Amino acid sequence: MVGMQARGLIMSERRVTGLSTAVIADLVAELGPIWQARRDAELLDRPRRRAVGAGAKYKLVFVDRLLATLVHLRHGVTHDVLACWFQVDRSTITVPSVRSGPSSPTADVASRVACDFARLPM
């Protein structure tokens, strides 16, 4: 997990994500419950092999996943660079990218974020 100091630096420096801290907080508030509901539905869709709460824990919490996606979309950095920055394996970074395909419940929100990016002063 990214330390609080590193996460604070990523969020406070507008050049990194292209968004202000307030906008990132709004995104977390809007997308967090959608992401959690989707994750819960995925877990309930298949038969459980382990008890609830067992198994590996997330190395990147939702906020870190969102920040990694924003940095990737803004700067086009490779997953290797993001993995180094977030102190996780490259395979951990490859999975959490926000899916913006038509089957994703976040597709509408992702398209609005892309529009917001276009309107931001550089």
Side-chain angles (χ1 to χ4, degrees):
M1 182 185 306
V2 176
M4 291 298 289
Q5 187 176 16
R7 185 183 302 134
L9 179 64
I10 293 167
M11 289 180 65
S12 66
E13 187 59 53
R14 187 176 181 140
R15 291 179 294 175
V16 177
T17 62
L19 301 172
S20 67
T21 306
V23 173
I24 294 173
D26 289 343
L27 281 173
V28 169
E30 187 174 348
L31 293 176
I34 295 170
W35 180 83
Q36 188 63 48
R38 181 178 181 183
R39 181 68 185 138
D40 291 345
E42 287 175 359
L43 289 175
L44 294 175
D45 264 357
R46 60 183 189 261
R48 297 195 65 85
R49 288 194 247 170
R50 295 185 178 124
V52 175
K57 303 297 181 233
Y58 285 123
K59 292 183 182 176
L60 289 177
V61 294
F62 175 73
V63 174
D64 297 336
R65 291 168 180 253
L66 180 64
L67 291 174
T69 302
L70 290 172
V71 172
H72 177 70
L73 290 174
R74 176 149 174 101
H75 297 288
V77 296
T78 64
H79 291 155
D80 292 324
V81 172
L82 288 172
C84 182
W85 196 357
F86 285 89
Q87 299 173 350
V88 294
D89 189 68
R90 182 186 185 279
S91 62
T92 303
I93 287 291
T94 305
V95 173
S97 297
V98 174
R99 296 178 183 103
S100 59
S103 63
S104 170
T106 59
D108 183 43
V109 176
S111 65
R112 285 186 289 165
V113 170
C115 291
D116 289 344
F117 271 128
R119 288 186 275 156
L120 287 174
M122 295 297 159

